[in-house]
Amino acid sequence: KGGAEGWIIVKSTGAMSLYDVAATDGAESVIDHFTSGLYSAPEISDAVLTLLDRQKVEARASLTVEPITETLDGLMQFKMPWDVLNFHGFLPDHLELYQKDRDVPVIVGHPGWVEIDVTLNFPESWTIAKVPASASNSLDGISWKRDVKVSDATVTFSDKVVIEKDSFGTAEWP
């Protein structure tokens, strides 16, 4: 019983900075952008913008995730709302990375990166059975990395997507 508690830090630059969201709607909206798709939407509290600049935005907040009552063979699944392996949730202006038969170049505008650090402390009565593996990959001008650490009842995710160029020709963008 009881839920998970922890915090999230989102850092972003360039075309991926979420400046408009942060300037208009504040830190909670930046955090919500990356957490609203969780299986059990977390309660966001103490959200604060630690940096607000057109080229760089940083936000942090506390998270509380209520217990998930649905189980499969006694296990509860806790899914991350973004998919760093396919850049889902990271690309500016909702670009799709894999678009079959793309015939126009992709113009990102400004190179940039997004880094998301999440630490969740689970109740001692929970057993962490499986977490995503740490992984990384890169294409010409774009890369991602996920580091996952588990200790006792704490899981820490650190995901980062980097776009190094401001445009990609049709052959360069998968």
Side-chain angles (χ1 to χ4, degrees), residues 15 61 94 110 132 146 160:
H94 306 288
H110 304 305
R146 166 174 278 168
K160 187 169 186 177

Side-chain angles (χ1 to χ4, degrees), residues 94-140:
H94 306 288
L95 289 175
E96 292 181 31
L97 180 59
Y98 302 107
Q99 183 177 340
K100 188 176 179 175
D101 301 322
R102 183 182 302 279
D103 60 357
V104 295
V106 173
I107 299 174
V108 177
H110 304 305
W113 52 262
V114 173
E115 182 176 336
I116 303 172
D117 296 308
V118 178
T119 297
L120 292 172
N121 301 304
F122 294 94
E124 289 183 21
S125 61
W126 291 18
T127 300
I128 299 170
K130 184 178 178 182
V131 295
S134 294
S136 63
N137 199 358
S138 63
L139 304 168
D140 182 33

